[in-house]
Amino acid sequence: MNIPHLLSRGGAVTLLVLGALVWNGCASDAGADEAPAADPAVPVRVADITPVADVLPIRTSGRVAAKAEIALSFKVGGVISRVLVDEGQTVQRGQVLAQLELDEIDAQVTQARSAFEKAERDYARMQRLYADSVVTRVQVEDTGTGLEAAQAALDAAQFNRRYAVITAPARGRVLERMAENHELVGAGTPILRLGASDEGWVIRIGVADRDVVRLRPGDPADVAFDAYPGTPFTGRVTEIADAAQRGTSTFEVEVQLNDPAGRLKSGFIGQVQLYPSDGTSYQRVPIEAIVEANDDQGVVYLLDPATQRVRRTPIGIARILDDAVAIQGTLDGTVVTDGAAYLSDGALVAVQD
């Protein structure tokens, strides 16, 4: 066996192993000394938080109705002879709208009149007899009481006869017809619903407690209707409820509408924007800056210009405007708009022009 040859081969292997260990050690030392890679900056755009000293509008919706909507009915029950108007028809004050079959009611009037006339004769006779000392004063007074009762019965019968015919209490439009000819109806059953046009149209809306305290009668309003897209209507607050409605806990506010062309109809749904006379200052944030929203709470990212990092900041939402949000409280600085959805708290950003 060639010993020197084996030694030379073993030496070569040993050198290779030692070289690998040295290389690995150097590589480990180099990795330990190298700094970790920096976080990449997220490109974003920012916007200023704008203070606004102006009226913060109140937005809501409501239903159009006549200022005075009157349910018309008969004073007594009976069979309807005729209903003379249809829905949508314009009527004048005093116009006959409907009436009952009058045979039975006229008979009651005739009966009451006959009883009254007899009571008149009885009273006159008793007065003559009393003058001749034939009857006592008490008998005369009793007959007088009977005359008064007969007069009251005649007045009641004539009153019922008068309200067996429905006449228009004001100029207006028939909003609803709820009965037909020859129907048997009870006393007080609604037959027609009339909207008095003399008093115009109103829209009734529900307003939250935080907003109703800012409103005053006479405050202006803008109203938009899907039936007339692009056509603005105006109005003014006329009535403000003092108590909240049950179920909704909102306060009913009535807005008188301007409709000189007579285009509105009862039941239209309008989008209302009120401008309270009690103006309040608020801060305006672009709507693109809101990354989360739940009810009246939201989240934005505020930029720290010294570190170019952002801070996740909760905000209170007072109102959503056309392209912005009015916030509760105050914020200082700028907020991230474009790119806000890709951020996390403390993220490094690069502001773009």
Side-chain angles (χ1 to χ4, degrees), residues 283-316:
Q283 287 187 310
R284 180 186 178 99
V285 172
I287 201 165
E288 299 87 354
I290 309 299
V291 293
E292 291 181 20
N294 183 14
D295 241 359
D296 60 349
Q297 300 296 314
V299 172
V300 298
Y301 283 105
L302 282 177
L303 174 66
D304 182 351
T307 63
Q308 289 295 294
R309 293 185 179 273
V310 294
R311 185 174 74 254
R312 179 185 171 88
T313 305
I315 61 169

Side-chain angles (χ1 to χ4, degrees), residues 77-279:
V79 177
I80 297 175
S81 172
R82 14 174 221 166
V83 180
L84 301 170
V85 292
D86 292 317
E87 292 181 1
Q89 186 172 335
T90 300
V91 299
Q92 304 300 319
R93 181 187 296 272
Q95 180 179 335
V96 175
L97 307 180
Q99 71 176 44
L100 295 174
E101 295 286 356
L102 299 176
D103 294 347
E104 180 182 6
I105 299 171
D106 286 343
Q108 292 172 351
V109 173
T110 299
Q111 183 180 15
R113 182 177 289 111
S114 297
F116 171 72
E117 291 172 352
K118 179 180 181 302
E120 276 190 318
R121 293 193 299 270
D122 291 345
Y123 183 63
R125 184 173 63 254
M126 292 299 288
Q127 285 183 317
R128 291 194 298 271
L129 292 175
Y130 177 73
D132 294 337
S133 301
V134 176
V135 297
T136 64
R137 174 172 290 279
V138 172
Q139 290 175 300
V140 175
E141 291 174 349
D142 288 346
T143 308
T145 301
L147 176 60
E148 293 175 355
Q151 177 69 66
L154 177 59
D155 291 343
Q158 290 175 331
F159 183 84
N160 289 339
R161 169 63 175 78
R162 187 161 62 251
Y163 284 96
V165 177
I166 296 176
T167 58
R171 184 172 68 89
R173 187 183 302 166
V174 178
L175 303 178
E176 188 175 3
R177 172 172 167 166
M178 294 165 275
E180 299 297 331
N181 297 343
H182 312 304
E183 285 190 25
L184 176 64
V185 295
T189 301
I191 306 301
L192 299 166
R193 188 163 59 93
L194 179 70
S197 57
D198 288 344
E199 299 189 43
W201 296 103
V202 298
I203 187 166
R204 297 185 174 95
I205 53 181
V207 176
D209 51 3
R210 68 179 182 183
D211 292 326
V212 75
V213 296
R214 301 166 51 207
L215 288 173
R216 301 290 182 271
D219 286 349
D222 290 332
V223 186
F225 296 100
D226 291 340
Y228 299 106
T231 303
F233 288 77
T234 61
R236 290 196 172 274
V237 173
T238 52
E239 295 183 11
I240 303 172
D242 284 332
Q245 301 178 88
R246 293 181 179 178
T248 63
S249 298
T250 59
F251 293 79
E252 186 177 82
V253 174
E254 184 180 276
V255 176
Q256 183 85 41
L257 296 171
N258 298 321
D259 181 31
R263 294 169 293 181
L264 297 180
K265 295 183 182 296
S266 179
F268 276 9
I269 302 299
Q271 306 302 316
V272 184
Q273 187 160 275
L274 302 169
Y275 300 95
S277 53
D278 182 11

